Each structure stands twice: as C-alpha cells, then as structure tokens.
Amino acid sequence: MKKLLFVATVLSVSALLFVGCNKKNKTEQVAPAAQAANRGIKIGYAQVGHEAAWREANTTSFKTTFTSENGYTLLFVDADGNQDVQIAAIRDFIAQNVDYIVVAPVVETGWDEVLQEAKAAAIPVILSDRQMQVSDESLYLCWVGGNFLKEGRDGVKWLESYLEGKNLASEEINIVDLQGTIGASAQVGRTQGIEEGIASHPNWTLIAQQSGDFRTDGGKIAMQDIITDIGIDNIDVVFAENDDMALGAIEAIKSAGKKPGEDIIIITFDAGHEAFVRMIAGEINCACECNPLHGPRVAEIINALENGGTVEKIQYVDEAVFDQSNAAEILPTRLY
C-alpha cells in the first residue's frame, strides 16, 4: 500500500470534520509480516492494558478482525496501563512504517508530541474507546467508542425509573460511586453523568466516591474502605463504573452481611457476560452497555479511506441498558 495516497484524505477529513491475559509490553506480531506484506495493510495497535474482561473482549475484537486472512498485519502492544509504554509503542510503529496507528489511550493528556511525529510520518491515528485532549484535533483522524456521558446518564435514568416503580422516588437515597481510573475517558464521562443526575435530585446524596481503577480488587478495596468509613447500613445504591469493580463491591457487601441487588442497588457499566450472570442471580440490578467490539468499526473506517472516502470524526458504537427483567432472555445472544 502506498501511504502517500492517504495524505490528502487525512488532511481533508481533519479540515472538514470537527472532533470519541498475559502482560505484554513488547510488540506482538499477531499476523505474519511476510505473509501479509504483499497483500495487506499494516496496523499498529497500542492497547491500554488488560485490566478487565471488557478490555480482553476489545483486544479479541481487533485480533480477530485484523488478520492476515483479511489482508492485514497487526502489530499489537499491551501497555499494562502505562502511558510511557504506549508512547514508545507508537514511536516503534512509526519506525516500522505502519499504515495506520490505533490507540486506546491510558489517559487523555500528554499525547501531542508523539502524535505530531505520527502526523509528520503521514500515518493516520485512530482512537479506540478512550479519547485524547490535544492542542490540534487534526493530530488524530477519528475516534470510535462508547458515549460515556450518555452511559452515566442512562444509569441515572434507570435508577429514577426503578425507584418510581418501587414507590421510593421521594425517599432519601444515599449513593456511592466507584470510579474508574481517574482521567480515563470512561471515568470522566460516567462520573459526570452520575454526578449530574445526583445533583438534579434533592433527595439523592453522594455519600462516597473512590476510584477502584476499573479492577475487581480495586473495587473490593474501595468498597471495603467506604463501608468502614460510613457504615454498610447508610448505603442505598452503588454505581460501579465498570463490571469488574461491581464484582469486587459485591464481595465487600456480602462480607459486611448485606445482600447486593436487594439490600443495596447495584448499577454497573460495560454489561459483559458476568454482569448478566449476576443480574440473573439477583446481585446486580442494572448494567449499562459499553460495546467493546470496535475492531469491525475500525476496519470499516480503514476500508472507507482505502476507497477514497471520508469518515466522521466521532463514531459511537451501539449500546443498550439491561436489568434483571431481561438479562436471562438477552444473555444467550451476547458475544462478550
């Protein structure tokens, strides 16, 4: 493939459109370079890490899409939550003369310099899942992912409806928010949506807010700390900003002698397989979907560019909200 063919396309898109396992810190050659070099496109993917089941599904989506059989060579790096590793990976991709770079950034800031290097090399950068705050929006081509702010708001809307159905809409409601990695796009958007919703209800109180870093053990530790500080009997609702933290919080709540999903309402985000299992078991009340299957959407973007087309700057994946009323029916259809 001739990279020069893409320069005009990238500049046109940027000008016309405004504006989202094992530890492996070294490049993993997923598709044999020799096999794909004569027929395909070389993709460099800097994944944020493997901190949750959602992330593993996201990685699998890319690895099964960008195969030599489909005409690609995929260079994959798992940064294990380290931004410096991702920046080094991007520079390595540039040195290896990839055709496209895909990044799921650890945090939103600190990317301008390395993205300038990619732009100088005429390599389009596509963001997956998490967003970046950059001085020049033309430094990346587009972003693919979930609408994190909407997800947070969807969780609040579900809670409003649930409380009304239980004749609890006028009751005092004490809420805990287990945040994800501070500064990550998912944390920023979901926290904002949750905080906005709480502020709009005078009888709702955010009594505790602590990061569990999107990890099961992090969610458990954070929930244990909160229970120690304010007492289990003072908690009515827990928002867990991903499924893994919800699982940790459930362990902590059980250890404190309460029934999650019954004594304490549990609302989670991602809606992976285990969240459905726990909704069916009655331990999670609601799961707001964050679709991890970004690989096919990124492939669509690349194919459009290869055929001389343009793409939207922001591309949201389809997402829904599930709860105990439909979890058993929906679970057999889930791919993650």
Side-chain angles (χ1 to χ4, degrees), residues 24-77:
K24 299 172 184 176
N25 289 340
K26 61 182 181 180
T27 301
E28 174 186 341
Q29 194 90 357
V30 177
Q35 183 178 356
N38 295 326
R39 55 182 295 229
I41 300 166
K42 186 183 291 187
I43 310 293
Y45 182 33
Q47 175 64 285
V48 61
H50 49 274
E51 74 281 3
W54 187 98
R55 188 64 55 188
E56 294 174 4
N58 179 253
T59 292
T60 298
S61 176
F62 278 91
K63 288 185 175 182
T64 56
T65 298
F66 294 104
T67 64
S68 58
E69 291 77 13
N70 290 337
Y72 299 98
T73 299
L74 178 62
L75 306 180
F76 177 82
V77 172

Side-chain angles (χ1 to χ4, degrees), residues 147-285:
N147 190 334
F148 305 124
L149 176 58
K150 180 178 180 298
E151 291 167 9
R153 290 171 173 170
D154 283 346
V156 169
K157 289 179 182 177
W158 181 90
L159 180 59
E160 291 172 339
S161 177
Y162 180 83
L163 292 175
E164 289 174 3
K166 297 291 185 180
N167 296 317
L168 298 173
S170 61
E171 296 293 319
E172 295 293 323
I173 303 297
N174 291 333
I175 298 173
V176 167
D177 178 23
L178 298 181
Q179 297 172 291
T181 303
I182 301 300
S185 298
Q187 176 273 313
V188 173
R190 291 169 188 167
T191 294
Q192 180 181 341
I194 292 166
E195 289 179 341
E196 286 178 353
I198 293 171
S200 69
H201 293 80
N203 58 317
W204 292 12
T205 303
L206 180 62
I207 58 173
Q209 192 173 50
Q210 186 170 325
S211 174
D213 206 29
F214 287 132
R215 298 177 183 271
T216 301
D217 57 350
K220 181 177 182 179
I221 292 169
M223 196 70 219
Q224 288 172 333
D225 290 345
I226 291 168
I227 290 171
T228 298
D229 289 343
I230 66 177
I232 189 70
D233 292 328
N234 294 318
I235 302 170
D236 300 308
V237 178
V238 173
F239 281 97
E241 293 185 11
N242 84 332
D243 293 344
D244 292 74
M245 291 191 300
L247 299 180
I250 286 170
E251 291 182 31
I253 291 168
K254 286 180 175 179
S255 295
K258 294 293 184 178
K259 295 181 179 180
E262 184 175 331
D263 297 323
I264 297 175
I265 299 167
I266 308 294
I267 301 169
T268 186
F269 299 86
D270 285 355
H273 182 274
E274 187 60 24
F276 276 81
V277 171
R278 297 304 181 98
M279 282 191 286
I280 294 169
E283 293 182 340
I284 289 177
N285 301 85

